[in-house]
Structure formats: structure tokens, C-alpha cells
Amino acid sequence: DRVHLLFQRYGVLFRELLQRELPTLQWRQVFRTLRLMELSGEALGGYFFQDIPGLQFTSPQAFRQLQRKLPEDVFWLNAADPASLSGLGIKAITSRLPRRLPGNYLVMHGNRLVMTVQRLGRELEFQVPADDPELPRYLGVLRHLLYRESNPVKRLELELINGDSALASPYLDIIAHSFDVIRDHRKAYLQRQL
């Protein structure tokens, strides 16, 4: 039952992923069960994703789903979310991701990382050019932070965009098309509209 729960949660299981789980759901507690399930055909063991060291397991249903093309939806998730790979300690994967903190977000377009938000918007990192036509959709994460029902942020302070001052960034003009941007001598601000 524990392995089925983990398969529903993650789809593919590996040692580093389960380090953050409760003790009864960690790798050393479920590995033997995974091997037995592999013998019975309830689990598949192998190397499904490159850059993840060691043995990986998935269910036959998840394996079939992985063989299909992933939807090209735009979505974001908090870096501290259990589904996030931030902070796993796998350098090939996590070197591009923000630290596993509640104020950090990842914006994905299908399987591509297109933007990261760090420190509740103080640092934005875009992986797409400023003229990308999808950029307004990627900025939806900032709208979410300002207008979410639970604990919205009153204003976002933008300090750095792609490592440079937010005030000098070409991305700030694109952001200004979607938000009211207030500029002072050091930062730019996004505020909620009443």
C-alpha cells in the first residue's frame, strides 16, 4: 500500500526523491517491497531518466504514460512542494533550480523550465528571451502571488532580473504590460489593484 501511494504521488521512485518522506516511506523501508513488486510485474525497475543516479522504479501504468508526449501546459509550483525536484542534491538537475524554500517558485512549460521566482519575486530568472510570445502566461505566477485567496502578497519587490538590476532589464517592460509597475531609484514594485 505504501508503494502504491508513492507511485500515485510521484510516478517514478528513486533514492533521493524519498529522502524527504516520512520514515516509513523512505527508500530503505520500501526498496525490498519494490524488488518483490518488480518480480510480480507490479513495478518496473530500470533507468528511466538520465541524470538520476541509481535504480529507478515505476508502475506499468506510469511507464505507459511516460511513453506518451507530455502536454504542453504552462504551470508553476512552489520549490518546497513535494513534487518539486529542488533541493534533491542531484547536481545535474538541481543546479538550474532555486533552493527549496517556500518563497521560491518554478514555472514550467511542458517539461521545460522557463522561469524561476526567488525570494517572493525579488529575483526573477527567465530561461526564454524577452520577446517570447508566451511570456505573459509565464508571469501568471506573479499574479497568483498577488491575488491568491490565502495570504496574498501586498506587493512584490523586483530587485534582480537574470542577475541584473530589475530597473535596467528589458523584461520589466514586458511585465509592465501585465501589471502596474512602480519604479523608484533602486527597485520596481508590483502592487495589487483594488
Side-chain angles (χ1 to χ4, degrees), residues 79-129:
D81 190 286
S84 169
L85 296 178
S86 292
L88 279 187
I90 302 172
K91 288 189 182 193
I93 296 172
T94 58
S95 62
R96 302 181 320 252
L97 303 178
R99 293 176 53 208
R100 188 175 187 78
L101 297 172
N104 294 346
Y105 289 81
L106 305 136
V107 180
M108 305 292 293
H109 190 164
N111 63 353
R112 295 180 308 129
L113 177 67
V114 293
M115 176 183 170
T116 60
V117 176
Q118 296 183 58
R119 298 172 46 224
L120 277 177
R122 285 185 176 83
E123 296 179 35
L124 303 179
E125 190 75 35
F126 292 93
Q127 309 297 324
V128 295

Side-chain angles (χ1 to χ4, degrees), residues 34-162:
L34 284 164
R35 280 301 206 185
L36 292 171
M37 290 175 74
E38 183 182 24
L39 291 172
S40 70
E42 291 182 79
L44 302 171
Y47 187 68
F48 305 107
F49 291 98
Q50 74 181 57
D51 297 329
I52 297 175
L55 188 58
Q56 303 162 35
F57 289 94
T58 189
S59 68
Q61 299 85 1
F63 182 72
R64 285 190 293 276
Q65 222 174 4
L66 288 172
Q67 291 181 320
R68 288 187 238 135
K69 186 172 172 29
L70 293 173
E72 284 293 315
D73 296 336
V74 174
F75 65 96
W76 61 85
L77 68 153
N78 191 287
D81 190 286
S84 169
L85 296 178
S86 292
L88 279 187
I90 302 172
K91 288 189 182 193
I93 296 172
T94 58
S95 62
R96 302 181 320 252
L97 303 178
R99 293 176 53 208
R100 188 175 187 78
L101 297 172
N104 294 346
Y105 289 81
L106 305 136
V107 180
M108 305 292 293
H109 190 164
N111 63 353
R112 295 180 308 129
L113 177 67
V114 293
M115 176 183 170
T116 60
V117 176
Q118 296 183 58
R119 298 172 46 224
L120 277 177
R122 285 185 176 83
E123 296 179 35
L124 303 179
E125 190 75 35
F126 292 93
Q127 309 297 324
V128 295
D131 61 353
D132 189 303
E134 297 289 340
L135 197 60
R137 289 179 64 197
Y138 304 154
L139 297 174
V141 66
L142 302 178
R143 184 167 306 287
H144 166 74
L145 291 171
L146 288 168
Y147 293 100
R148 61 188 175 192
E149 287 184 29
S150 175
N151 197 21
V153 177
K154 291 183 182 172
R155 79 178 184 182
L156 296 174
E157 299 177 14
L158 306 179
E159 294 174 7
L160 298 173
I161 298 178
N162 287 4

Side-chain angles (χ1 to χ4, degrees), residues 6-47:
L6 291 170
F7 277 149
Q8 288 175 359
R9 186 177 295 168
Y10 298 113
V12 176
L13 305 178
F14 51 94
R15 179 186 304 274
E16 291 81 3
L17 183 66
L18 300 183
Q19 286 176 351
R20 298 180 297 214
E21 285 292 341
L22 295 170
T24 58
L25 298 175
Q26 289 183 356
W27 186 257
R28 67 181 177 279
Q29 298 296 325
V30 298
F31 181 75
R32 184 167 186 252
T33 304
L34 284 164
R35 280 301 206 185
L36 292 171
M37 290 175 74
E38 183 182 24
L39 291 172
S40 70
E42 291 182 79
L44 302 171
Y47 187 68

